[in-house]
Amino acid sequence: MADKYQIPFINACIRSFAKRVGLPVRNVFQYLYRFKGVDFLVDFYPTLHLQSVDDTVDDLIVMCKKNGGALE
């Protein structure tokens, strides 16, 4: 991780996702890890950090659904 803001950004996205779906952060992290959301955040950080956290959460929802996850 070359950017010192990458971990705080990923943390903010996970917390925002948890708030949106109404689940504890721990459960959301496990969900995102299982359905490749964490990989998505790490791999596409250079692009994702240029948009809002809310937009990133929207993208996470789409990405996880494509990988078999269904929360909403």
Side-chain angles (χ1 to χ4, degrees):
M1 290 192 195
D3 188 339
K4 69 179 182 178
Y5 299 108
Q6 187 171 6
I7 291 173
F9 175 77
I10 291 171
N11 186 31
C13 291
I14 292 170
R15 290 182 178 281
S16 185
F17 191 103
K19 187 175 182 180
R20 183 175 301 179
V21 298
L23 291 172
V25 173
R26 180 182 178 135
N27 293 11
V28 166
F29 176 80
Q30 291 170 341
Y31 171 83
L32 291 175
Y33 186 80
R34 179 175 178 195
F35 295 108
K36 308 297 184 210
V38 174
D39 292 338
F40 175 72
L41 289 172
V42 171
D43 293 344
F44 294 99
Y45 170 76
T47 303
L48 295 174
H49 86 281
L50 299 174
Q51 63 187 24
S52 72
V53 172
D54 288 333
D55 288 342
T56 301
V57 171
D58 293 339
D59 293 343
L60 275 172
I61 291 169
V62 171
M63 176 59 68
C64 291
K65 281 184 180 180
K66 285 183 179 181
N67 289 310
L71 280 176
E72 297 182 320

